[in-house]
Amino acid sequence: PDMIEIVVSSPVTEEDAEGRPLHTTFLVTTHTNLPEYKSNTFSVRRRYSDFEYLRAHLVTQVNNNEKTKGSLRRVPELPGKKMFGKFEKVG
C-alpha cells in the first residue's frame, strides 16, 4: 500500500557569529514509497514558525473544504513554544 511517514526530530539551536543563540531548527524526515517523489527518503530543517504557517494553512484548507467542513477531522495543535530558557542546555 501507499505509504508516507514524516518524522520531526533532532532540534538544533542555530547561533550567530558570536555564538549567541538565534533560533531552533528541527529535522523533518520523510519516508515514502509514492512514485511522485524522486527519492524514498529526504530531509529538511525547519523552524517552529514554519510549522505554525503550515498548521494555519491546513486549518484553512480543512475549514474551506465542503467534505471536511464541520466534520470531526481537525488539524492537531502544535506543542507550545517555549518563551523563556529556550536555549538552555539540558542535562
Side-chain angles (χ1 to χ4, degrees):
D2 289 344
M3 181 273 302
I4 188 163
E5 175 187 52
I6 300 170
V7 177
V8 179
S9 63
S10 305
V12 171
T13 299
E14 306 291 336
E15 299 175 341
D16 66 12
E18 284 79 40
R20 291 183 298 242
L22 295 171
H23 56 263
T24 301
T25 62
F26 301 87
L27 184 66
V28 180
T29 304
T30 303
H31 305 279
T32 184
N33 64 358
L34 297 173
E36 298 87 25
Y37 295 92
K38 293 179 183 177
S39 177
N40 291 341
T41 302
F42 48 95
S43 298
V44 295
R45 293 204 76 78
R46 293 290 183 250
R47 294 174 64 170
Y48 186 89
S49 58
D50 295 318
F51 293 100
E52 289 176 317
Y53 173 82
L54 174 62
R55 184 180 185 284
H57 178 75
L58 292 172
V59 166
T60 300
Q61 294 300 309
V62 167
N63 290 339
N64 291 336
N65 184 320
E66 288 302 318
K67 292 182 181 178
T68 56
K69 191 175 192 176
S71 73
L72 294 177
R73 294 182 188 188
R74 66 177 191 82
V75 180
E77 296 292 330
L78 292 173
K81 189 172 185 179
K82 194 172 180 184
M83 298 305 285
F84 298 100
K86 63 183 175 180
F87 298 120
E88 292 176 5
K89 303 283 187 231
V90 178

